[in-house]
Amino acid sequence: MRRGVRPGHPVRTRANREFTMPVITVRIGKGRPIETKRALVAALTQAVAETLDVSPDWVTVLIEEYDRENWATGGELHADKFGPGFGKTGTVEV
């Protein structure tokens, strides 16, 4: 078995190069609208398909959402640092 290739996953070769299905994981805070997520996965899929020269059907995007109370930077929870609703469309930091 080739390194990095799992059974059942498509592989193609072109000019002695191997291509596998790209999987992108995006980690974001909870609360963004579905329309924003649709736009995100469409843009990522297009960019990856063009850059890696693979079919868009081969590109997988996983969105992992986190509550602000479960995410911290600089030693401080985002819920405390930024307040409720930070990062959602239409909110402004004050």
Side-chain angles (χ1 to χ4, degrees):
M1 181 184 311
R2 289 179 217 126
R3 179 181 223 160
V5 177
R6 294 181 290 171
H9 286 243
V11 174
R12 73 176 183 176
T13 57
R14 180 191 293 164
N16 297 323
R17 297 183 308 177
E18 292 184 357
F19 296 87
T20 59
M21 295 177 70
V23 178
I24 303 158
T25 302
V26 179
R27 295 179 177 147
I28 59 175
K30 280 188 179 179
R32 289 191 173 77
I34 188 108
E35 296 82 14
T36 301
K37 294 178 199 176
R38 285 185 180 119
L40 174 65
V41 298
L44 288 171
T45 299
Q46 179 181 355
V48 169
E50 290 174 5
T51 302
L52 298 181
D53 190 25
V54 298
S55 168
D57 291 336
W58 287 25
V59 179
T60 298
V61 179
L62 304 170
I63 299 175
E64 296 178 1
E65 293 184 288
Y66 295 91
D67 289 318
R68 295 291 178 184
E69 65 189 32
N70 297 322
W71 191 330
T73 51
E76 191 174 358
L77 291 173
H78 282 202
D80 298 332
K81 191 173 191 173
F82 300 114
F86 179 80
K88 293 182 184 177
T89 302
T91 60
V92 178
E93 184 177 6
V94 287

